[in-house]
Amino acid sequence: VDTLKSMREELYPETDSLRNTISVHIRRGDKWREAEPTNDTAYDLAAQNLYNGCKAGFCEPPLKREIFLSTEDPSAVDYFV
């Protein structure tokens, strides 16, 4: 656990800045073998719906209108930038 905390602090020195941020993980690679790929618009819409629901008071604390994107797909990065 201490090693993970140390790594997190090294990679993300301002962890408070990630609080209440919407995380989106898009895995494409070989995922197509298991299921049809989900397009970027669907991920974007899901994040928007989550944000709007929280903005309307359905979750606490409220979310920031920010996305932390995790993906190996350059086109997904281009879409969300």
Side-chain angles (χ1 to χ4, degrees):
V1 174
D2 289 336
T3 302
L4 290 175
K5 285 181 183 178
S6 174
M7 290 172 64
R8 182 184 68 194
E9 289 170 6
E10 183 179 325
L11 291 170
Y12 308 106
E14 297 179 28
T15 54
D16 283 343
S17 68
L18 296 176
R19 289 190 197 282
N20 307 338
T21 300
I22 299 170
S23 294
V24 176
H25 177 81
I26 301 175
R27 179 176 166 227
R28 299 251 164 79
D30 64 349
K31 187 69 176 169
W32 60 270
R33 294 178 188 176
E34 300 170 20
E36 286 290 318
T38 303
N39 65 38
D40 296 328
T41 307
Y43 286 102
D44 191 9
L45 183 60
Q48 295 270 348
N49 289 338
L50 180 61
Y51 174 78
N52 289 336
C54 286
K55 192 170 113 179
F58 292 109
C59 63
E60 191 64 37
L63 294 173
K64 292 190 265 183
R65 193 177 176 102
E66 283 180 7
I67 290 178
F68 180 87
L69 179 64
S70 170
T71 186
E72 81 285 357
D73 182 2
S75 69
V77 173
D78 289 342
Y79 177 87
F80 281 94
V81 170

